Every structure is written in C-alpha cells, then in structure tokens.
Amino acid sequence: NAGVTQTPKFRVLKTGQSMTLLCAQDMNHEYMYWYRQDPGMGLRLIHYSVGEGTTAKGEVPDGYNVSRLKKQNFLLGLESAAPSQTSVYFCASSYSRVEQYFGPGTRLTVT
Amino acid sequence: SQQGEEDPQALSIQEGENATMNCSYKTSINNLQWYRQNSGRGLVHLILIRSNEREKHSGRLRVTLDTSKKSSSLLITASRAADTASYFCATDAYGNTPLVFGKGTRLSVIA
C-alpha cells in the first residue's frame, strides 16, 4: 500500500496564481485532513472531511477551498495565492477519530 | 487556538540518556496522542492514551496522563541518534471536533 500520497512535492507560485494540491489514500479511510505547518506554529488544520462528499472548516480555512468527490481523494485549492500561504502542506487520513496517517508534504512558496 | 502545548520547545541530550517531553492542554479530552516528525517528513503516530488510562508503554516509549492536571508526558528511554525529531502531542476532545496539535518539542540526540 502506498498509504497517503501528495502531489506535487514542491511548487513555486506567483501572487494571484491558483493551484490545486492533490491528496490520495489507499486505506479506505473515511476521514481526511489538510494541515499547514509554519515555523514555530505547529500544525494548523485548514479543512477536513468526514466522508465522501463532505467538507468542514478547520482553524485556518480562509483563502482555501476543498473537495472530496471520491473517498480516496481530497483536493486543496488556492484560488488566488498570497505570500502568507507560503508553507508546508500536509494531508492526513484516518479510519476514525484516532490515529492519523500523514503524507510526505508539499512545500509551497508564493512570491 | 492550540489545545496542547509542549514543553520544552527544544531538548538536547546525549545518546543513551532519557528524554522527557511534556504536554499541557486546556479542556477535557477523549484521548491524547503523540506523533514524531523527522526533518522534512510527515508526522508518524507513536502512541495513544485514553482519558481513563494513566500510563502506557510501547517499546522505549512511556506515556503518562494526568487528567486532573490536564497534562501528559512522553518519556523516551535510552535515546538513540535516530530519535532526533520533533515530537507533537495531539488532543482529541469530546464531541465532533478534530484533533488539535501542539507546536512540538524538537529533540536532538547527540551521538
């Protein structure tokens, strides 16, 4: 099993550009999450999903949108990137509300 | 806002010594989890302790939970250079709120 995979691994955007980060899991997990990690801030939850077709806001949702059209995929969109969105983005999935499995991360730089 | 706060922020020890990290939280929890993050990688789940448990062991890891003080500690015995990583606590509160991660403790084990 590949576990949780993230695409792309690195990306550089100019301010105002848009992009979509893809997260895929092959563990048949119901729950999926998007986090951002910034130095000194720990992990902050952006959006999450408790099942196919559902999404919910986390701690820092502004400037991001998500979709969960298929159970195995969770997409994170930036419609108009800003320098404040420079961060490392992690996707995670879980079977229930306990142990989360994390992807390797996407390093995004917005100039 | 962050639920769990780790202490210390950074810890440097010699190989073979024990490492202790603490986590304090604010509200009642269902369970508390510890994760490890190696540099440039995603988080990996280490251990979960439920609110009705006081101590749990897994290999060289020992976790304690004091719900009256709203605190937990992670002890790594006989540390190795490979234990060098950041360690995060995550709290699962009652209700439908997702896990909340602390800011982490950076552990350096010097060979």
Side-chain angles (χ1 to χ4, degrees):
Chain A
N1 289 348
V4 179
T5 58
Q6 292 183 231
T7 308
K9 289 184 170 53
F10 302 93
R11 186 72 187 267
V12 178
L13 287 179
K14 294 188 187 303
T15 297
Q17 288 184 320
S18 64
M19 77 163 295
T20 300
L21 283 67
L22 170 64
C23 176
Q25 53 94 4
D26 61 2
M27 296 173 282
N28 201 34
H29 286 168
E30 290 293 335
Y31 295 73
M32 296 188 75
Y33 313 84
W34 275 108
Y35 296 91
R36 61 178 290 172
Q37 185 175 36
D38 303 292
M41 298 296 292
L43 278 171
R44 292 184 291 172
L45 183 65
I46 304 171
H47 287 280
Y48 64 102
S49 169
V50 299
E52 181 178 318
T54 75
T55 62
K57 294 180 180 179
E59 183 186 353
V60 288
D62 294 342
Y64 305 94
N65 57 75
V66 287
S67 64
R68 182 102 181 266
L69 298 179
K70 293 182 179 180
K71 187 177 184 179
Q72 63 267 35
N73 296 336
F74 195 28
L75 277 64
L76 178 71
L78 286 73
E79 290 188 347
S80 180
S84 60
Q85 294 177 303
T86 293
S87 187
V88 180
Y89 292 85
F90 288 99
C91 176
S93 70
S94 64
Y95 176 70
S96 63
R97 289 169 51 80
V98 289
E99 176 181 356
Q100 292 187 13
Y101 293 78
F102 281 78
T106 294
R107 189 173 296 275
L108 175 66
T109 301
V110 183
T111 61
Chain B
S1 62
Q2 299 286 352
Q3 164 75 309
E5 293 289 339
E6 292 89 343
D7 171 66
Q9 289 186 340
L11 178 62
S12 184
I13 60 173
Q14 297 288 327
E15 204 167 30
E17 293 180 337
N18 295 341
T20 300
M21 289 157 268
N22 303 297
C23 172
S24 59
Y25 57 92
K26 296 175 183 175
T27 62
S28 296
I29 60 170
N30 186 32
N31 66 70
L32 185 145
Q33 304 173 35
W34 286 92
Y35 288 77
R36 183 188 73 231
Q37 183 182 33
N38 291 92
S39 180
R41 311 290 285 272
L43 278 71
V44 175
H45 183 266
L46 292 176
I47 194 166
L48 178 152
I49 186 164
R50 300 191 185 280
S51 60
N52 61 353
E53 297 175 310
R54 292 297 166 259
E55 187 170 313
K56 204 162 182 179
H57 297 254
S58 177
R60 294 184 295 112
L61 305 180
R62 182 174 80 104
V63 170
T64 61
L65 180 64
D66 187 334
T67 53
S68 67
K69 294 181 179 178
K70 292 186 169 58
S71 68
S72 174
S73 67
L74 171 67
L75 168 68
I76 304 174
T77 60
S79 63
R80 306 165 181 168
D83 295 327
T84 294
S86 290
Y87 293 82
F88 295 86
C89 68
T91 50
D92 179 23
Y94 288 105
N96 290 324
T97 57
L99 278 184
V100 178
F101 286 83
K103 295 181 181 180
T105 292
R106 291 188 311 279
L107 173 65
S108 298
V109 182
I110 303 166

